[in-house]
Amino acid sequence: MSGTADLVTAQTVTYQLEVSDVAKRFGQTQALDTVSVGIVRGEVHALVGENGAGKSTLGKVIAGMYQPDSGAVILDGTPVERWNPTVAQQRGVAMIAQELALVPDLTVAQNVFLGVESQRLGVLQRNLHTRFAALTDEVGFHLDPNAKVRSLRIADQQKVEILRAIARDAKVIVMDEPTSSLTAQEMTQLEALMRLLANQGRSIIYVSHFLDSVLNVADRITVMRDGRRITTVAASSTSKQQLVTQMLGRELERAFPDRAPGPSAETSAVLEVEHLGTDTGVADISFAVRPGEIVGLLGLVGSGRTECARAVFGVDPVRAGSVTFAGQPWTGTSPRASIAAGLTLVSEDRHKDGLVLQRSVQENLALASLSRRQRGGVVQRRTERQLAMDLAKSLELRPLNLDLPVSWFSGGNQQKALLGKSLATNPKVVILDEPTRGVDVGAKRKIYDLIVELAASGVGVLLISSEHEEIMELAHRGYLISEGRTLREIVPSTTTIDEVLYELFHVDAADAPTALTPNESTDSVKESE
């Protein structure tokens, strides 16, 4: 195979799947540039690189979702023709896409077996639920088969996608960022599942920004940059630092910027939440955010952090407690009113709640602030374009083409567009819910810098992240959240991640201390300072 002679050494290998000199262009963007990679039967093969490097595009070519402009896809030694997702699945190639593609009004079991309802899984199964139980026992993901997919949190929807691929008995499985919404324990389960599937003779193509996970589970790793394959190495012969350097084409000195100076403890809060309760899983959450302060909510997936953010922003109704924003009661408002007043939310689900995928980057960046750029009901396009270009440049959006549909961009660049959309509203407080989900290490640093810059400019930042290190390295203060309740406040600069995780995993809600009010937590900060 052209270009892949250096991929393996010491023996002649028969590849289960190959891509040979594959190229793919979208408009003026060369997404793949004569890429050649070979996948060995029974291996976990990771693809790593910055957002826009071509990883997901390559995965979609392999799975038949994109047709290459040139080059070949070779399966079991035979070049494939008329490749599409249906034919690929029939040939044993399946893809778990980064952006989930489930039917929200069908149940979990119906989604898992959609299109293969009559297929047998090793032994005779007479009904959907029996087959589903057998599959989940094998995998270790336990979900309610009768639950509607739309009712599931993103992490559980991701599990449904994984189960769906396995239910089709795929021989080659492309997993594009399957761990982006999973807890540490669920990630460990998924890694064990990958090894199990590989030991069964299946090939796993693992696209991920979590380099620790890649090094832990992969047999070989292909590094991509700017649509090209840079190198393919054995996981056992490389390190995280080496991978980062190869991905970026330069060394990344530090993952996080210096913590910005925070406001004094005497500064009045711009956002104050007291004993908040909702019908969506929030029982008693209290916290406060001052101007120019980064405050983190630390909790496990399902702890109620996202539900709290949605209620504060006005998406879901508040049933108990109070919200005060800029000195005014803020309970029972709407997202439109919140944005107009200077309170904005960057949702964890950029496709469902954040972006209009078929519209241009320019339109998406300006969407939340149209009222500020219209005259007599007519949008001032020149002003809108200048705003969008300034934001795109500051966020280092790639490619820098405002006219492309946002769906054409990589997940990380879509995330940048989502952030830019919120920044265009000139907010007083920004709620960031998983702002680096699906984002590579280089783009993460850009987002971290942006968060610090926002705080330095006087904007209050409420940061929600399942990567606890992000909060511990960026936030001035943090609150531990468990089962919809505030446990206590912490000062990240004087607290370890181990201490946080121990409390989150071991605390019994019945023994938890009474939820703090923002005033009580402020006193604790004064004492620590």
Side-chain angles (χ1 to χ4, degrees):
M1 181 176 87
S2 174
T4 60
D6 61 323
L7 301 190
V8 291
T9 58
Q11 58 179 338
T12 301
V13 174
T14 300
Y15 293 115
Q16 183 174 19
L17 183 141
E18 304 171 67
V19 292
S20 178
D21 295 327
V22 164
K24 182 66 179 178
R25 177 182 289 273
F26 297 101
Q28 299 300 311
T29 303
Q30 188 71 48
L32 294 175
D33 188 358
T34 57
V35 174
S36 296
V37 178
I39 310 299
V40 177
R41 188 183 307 277
E43 77 166 339
V44 178
H45 192 120
L47 302 179
V48 301
E50 289 190 90
N51 290 118
K55 310 179 303 296
S56 295
T57 301
L58 180 60
K60 290 177 179 178
V61 167
I62 291 171
M65 300 175 71
Y66 290 156
Q67 293 296 316
D69 299 330
S70 60
V73 177
I74 303 167
L75 183 63
D76 292 325
T78 303
V80 300
E81 298 179 2
R82 298 183 180 181
W83 202 231
N84 59 54
T86 301
V87 174
Q89 286 187 11
Q90 292 171 350
R91 295 283 300 275
V93 180
M95 181 172 189
I96 302 166
Q98 179 179 354
E99 305 302 343
L100 307 180
L102 301 170
V103 183
D105 287 320
L106 293 183
T107 68
V108 169
Q110 288 169 333
N111 268 276
V112 168
F113 296 106
L114 188 63
V116 291
E117 289 85 352
S118 62
Q119 184 173 315
R120 297 182 178 184
L121 295 177
V123 297
L124 180 62
Q125 304 289 355
R126 294 190 175 184
N127 60 67
L128 215 58
H129 285 187
T130 304
R131 294 170 63 195
F132 183 82
L135 182 63
T136 54
D137 284 345
E138 175 189 356
V139 173
F141 290 161
H142 296 290
L143 300 170
D144 179 0
N146 297 313
K148 292 290 182 67
V149 160
R150 72 165 58 255
S151 70
L152 302 180
R153 55 194 176 93
I154 291 180
D156 286 336
Q157 290 183 20
Q158 215 153 22
K159 294 178 189 178
V160 176
E161 282 276 22
I162 294 168
L163 290 172
R164 186 160 68 172
I166 298 170
R168 282 149 180 76
D169 197 28
K171 299 298 186 293
V172 177
I173 303 176
V174 182
M175 295 187 176
D176 190 359
E177 296 292 349
T179 62
S180 59
S181 295
L182 302 184
T183 65
Q185 181 180 359
E186 290 166 338
M187 188 181 295
T188 300
Q189 289 177 345
L190 180 60
E191 291 173 1
L193 173 61
M194 288 187 207
R195 294 281 14 135
L196 173 65
L197 295 173
N199 292 338
Q200 293 173 351
R202 307 174 201 256
S203 298
I204 308 299
I205 301 172
Y206 180 30
V207 181
S208 179
H209 292 305
F210 290 95
L211 298 184
D212 290 328
S213 176
V214 164
L215 289 167
N216 188 48
V217 74
D219 296 297
R220 291 189 298 143
I221 303 170
T222 290
V223 179
M224 299 187 67
R225 186 171 71 239
D226 297 328
R228 298 183 177 91
R229 182 182 72 83
I230 301 303
T231 186
T232 298
V233 296
S236 59
S237 66
T238 190
S239 67
K240 185 175 180 179
Q241 185 59 46
Q242 288 174 323
L243 290 176
V244 170
T245 300
Q246 291 165 336
M247 286 165 53
L248 302 180
R250 56 182 171 81
E251 289 193 9
L252 184 67
E253 294 182 1
R254 292 188 58 199
F256 293 93
D258 292 333
R259 199 188 311 268
S264 70
E266 288 73 28
T267 304
S268 298
V270 64
L271 176 65
E272 195 167 13
V273 175
E274 293 185 292
H275 305 297
L276 190 73
T278 72
D279 292 335
T280 57
V282 178
D284 188 358
I285 289 181
S286 298
F287 62 85
V289 181
R290 305 181 183 96
E293 184 177 39
I294 303 170
V295 174
L297 298 186
L298 292 139
L300 306 179
V301 173
S303 61
R305 299 165 302 163
T306 292
E307 291 76 11
C308 175
R310 287 170 57 88
V312 170
F313 185 57
V315 178
D316 300 326
V318 173
R319 299 303 185 194
S322 65
V323 179
T324 304
F325 175 63
Q328 300 296 320
W330 208 249
T331 302
T333 186
S334 67
R336 182 187 295 271
S338 294
I339 292 171
L343 174 62
T344 187
L345 168 67
V346 177
S347 169
E348 68 171 339
D349 191 336
R350 55 179 171 259
H351 280 197
K352 179 182 176 183
D353 300 323
L355 300 171
V356 183
L357 295 177
Q358 300 310 315
R359 307 304 295 181
S360 70
V361 170
Q362 175 175 322
E363 291 170 302
N364 272 277
L365 285 171
L367 189 59
S369 55
L370 287 177
S371 61
R372 306 184 185 192
R373 271 166 289 282
Q374 64 177 356
R375 187 176 302 165
V378 178
V379 176
Q380 304 299 299
R381 292 296 181 185
R382 180 177 297 179
T383 305
E384 176 183 277
R385 190 165 188 85
Q386 187 60 55
L387 164 78
M389 181 58 72
D390 291 344
L391 286 169
K393 286 181 177 179
S394 67
L395 293 166
E396 298 179 3
L397 197 70
R398 292 189 299 176
L400 190 61
N401 187 333
L402 300 181
D403 299 317
L404 285 177
V406 76
S407 61
W408 285 28
F409 286 75
S410 67
N413 281 292
Q414 289 181 13
Q415 189 70 18
K416 291 180 183 179
L418 182 59
L419 286 166
K421 172 187 164 185
S422 290
L423 297 182
T425 65
N426 297 321
K428 297 175 183 175
V429 171
V430 178
I431 303 174
L432 301 175
D433 192 358
E434 305 290 358
T436 62
R437 176 175 175 258
V439 173
D440 68 77
V441 63
K444 279 185 178 181
R445 176 57 196 259
K446 179 61 184 177
I447 292 174
Y448 300 153
D449 288 339
L450 176 63
I451 292 171
V452 171
E453 290 167 9
L454 280 172
S457 70
V459 176
V461 179
L462 182 64
L463 178 60
I464 300 171
S465 177
S466 295
E467 294 188 53
H468 295 123
E469 185 182 17
E470 293 182 344
I471 293 176
M472 301 302 285
E473 291 290 340
L474 295 173
H476 301 105
R477 295 185 299 116
Y479 294 84
L480 303 187
I481 308 294
S482 179
E483 298 185 354
R485 300 175 182 274
T486 299
L487 300 180
R488 69 181 181 95
E489 182 193 322
I490 65 164
V491 179
S493 61
T494 59
T495 309
T496 67
I497 291 180
D498 287 345
E499 290 171 339
V500 168
L501 292 178
Y502 180 85
E503 187 158 357
L504 292 177
F505 275 108
H506 291 83
V507 70
D508 186 329
D511 299 327
T514 302
L516 296 173
T517 66
N519 289 334
E520 290 170 335
S521 61
T522 297
D523 292 339
S524 70
V525 173
K526 289 180 183 178
E527 292 174 5
S528 70
E529 295 174 340

